[in-house]
Amino acid sequence: MSGLAVATPENQERHLTEVLAWSEHEDVGLARFAAFDEPWKDDTEWDGVSSHWGLFDSGGVLKPGPAAVLD
């Protein structure tokens, strides 16, 4: 699907790396809105992926993409 986000560990790692680099370069503080996956959103969100972009899965385990950046 062209133009849509795909919630993969590699894409999460890239996104987090790029956002943190931008934030540091621009001296802008960040607040992460979704720390945990929110599977109940699957049927209510227009894009179908926003429920999967937490740093942690819905069980509280740090996901591989963010772990590669934050560990």
Side-chain angles (χ1 to χ4, degrees):
M1 291 195 255
S2 180
L4 295 178
V6 179
T8 65
E10 296 81 14
N11 284 346
Q12 280 191 305
E13 180 179 348
R14 178 181 173 194
H15 169 75
L16 189 55
T17 298
E18 290 176 359
V19 166
L20 291 174
W22 171 84
S23 173
E24 185 175 330
H25 182 265
E26 298 295 325
D27 195 28
V28 173
L30 294 177
R32 180 74 176 162
F33 179 73
F36 298 92
D37 282 355
E38 300 171 327
W40 58 89
K41 287 185 174 180
D42 281 345
D43 294 332
T44 61
E45 295 292 316
W46 66 270
D47 57 10
V49 298
S50 60
S51 61
H52 303 287
W53 277 95
L55 298 175
F56 300 86
D57 67 20
S58 59
V61 177
L62 184 61
K63 293 162 63 174
V69 178
L70 301 175
D71 280 349

